[in-house]
């Protein structure tokens, strides 16, 4: 190699490198850009829970019932979840040796909820509207032995289990914007 070839290379290599870099810069063009993001977009399901003031115990319990007696007991049911729910009451596991001589009335305050012969309460809706989260209702059960019940009803028993069901309201479309 001659010195003129070496000199040409010393000039051409950096010049070629500059031309290549310039072509890349011109080829990429100058473009405005913008970026945005939405952080933390999420959803969480609600809860369907209830609190029963007499949970796992009897609403009423009385021995030595006699004709003409009325027995009462109260229970408070609270929608302790985060979702609105429709509530209902069901009577089950019924034992009634008193035929139609034993009657029961369920009230909320002074409003009758159900009334009839003990052991015949089918599923009973509680109210016309869903209960909001935190809403509570107190129910009074009054059970009466008819004063015409004769001697054949001595040493008889009656009992039932009461189940409080909560069902979520229908799904809905909601917007947060």
């Amino acid at each position: 190699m001659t010195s003129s070839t070496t000199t040409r290379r010393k000039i051409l290599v950096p010049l070629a490198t500059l031309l290549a870099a310039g072509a890349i810069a011109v080829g990429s063009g100058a473009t405005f850009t913008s970026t945005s993001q939405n952080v933390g977009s999420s959803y969480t399901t609600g809860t369907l829970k209830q609190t029963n003031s007499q949970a796992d115990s009897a609403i009423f319990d009385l021995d030595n019932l006699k004709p003409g007696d009325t027995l009462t007991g109260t229970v408070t049911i609270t929608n302790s979840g985060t979702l609105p729910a429709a509530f209902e009451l069901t009577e089950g596991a019924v034992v009634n040796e008193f035929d139609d001589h034993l009657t029961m009335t369920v009230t909320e305050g002074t409003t009758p909820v159900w009334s009839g012969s003990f052991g015949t309460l089918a599923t009973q809706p509680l109210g016309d509207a869903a209960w909001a989260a935190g809403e509570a209702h107190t129910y009074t059960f009054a059970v009466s032995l008819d004063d015409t019940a004769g001697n054949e009803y001595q040493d008889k028993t009656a009992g039932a289990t009461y189940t409080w069901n909560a069902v979520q309201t229908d799904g809905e479309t909601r917007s947060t914007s």
Side-chain angles (χ1 to χ4, degrees):
M1 256 200 227
T2 64
S3 74
S4 70
T5 304
T6 304
T7 303
R8 257 193 230 149
R9 280 192 183 178
K10 284 183 182 180
I11 293 173
L12 289 177
V13 170
L15 183 60
T17 303
L18 281 173
L19 288 173
I24 290 172
V26 170
S28 68
T31 305
F32 292 128
T33 62
S34 175
T35 303
S36 70
Q37 59 182 327
N38 300 101
V39 297
S41 295
S42 66
Y43 68 91
T44 303
T45 56
T47 59
L48 193 59
K49 294 180 183 178
Q50 60 178 281
T51 305
N52 179 328
S53 66
Q54 300 290 341
D56 299 322
S57 63
I59 297 172
F60 49 84
D61 187 13
L62 178 67
D63 290 333
N64 298 317
L65 188 65
K66 63 186 179 301
D69 281 353
T70 297
L71 168 65
T72 63
T74 60
V75 61
T76 300
I77 306 298
T78 304
N79 180 357
S80 53
T82 62
L83 297 173
F87 279 74
E88 59 188 24
L89 169 63
T90 303
E91 183 178 56
V94 175
V95 173
N96 182 4
E97 297 178 340
F98 295 97
D99 303 318
D100 290 336
H101 291 286
L102 193 62
T103 59
M104 183 174 76
T105 301
V106 180
T107 57
E108 180 182 6
T110 59
T111 305
V113 173
W114 184 87
S115 184
S117 293
F118 184 87
T120 62
L121 186 153
T123 299
Q124 179 68 39
L126 300 171
D128 296 329
W131 299 11
E135 190 172 338
H137 295 259
T138 299
Y139 296 94
T140 300
F141 287 66
V143 180
S144 300
L145 181 57
D146 188 339
D147 59 5
T148 64
N151 284 332
E152 68 272 22
Y153 295 103
Q154 290 185 48
D155 201 31
K156 300 294 181 182
T157 62
T161 298
Y162 296 96
T163 303
W164 307 85
N165 299 308
V167 178
Q168 75 173 43
T169 57
D170 290 339
E172 57 188 299
T173 301
R174 296 181 289 165
S175 176
T176 59
S177 53

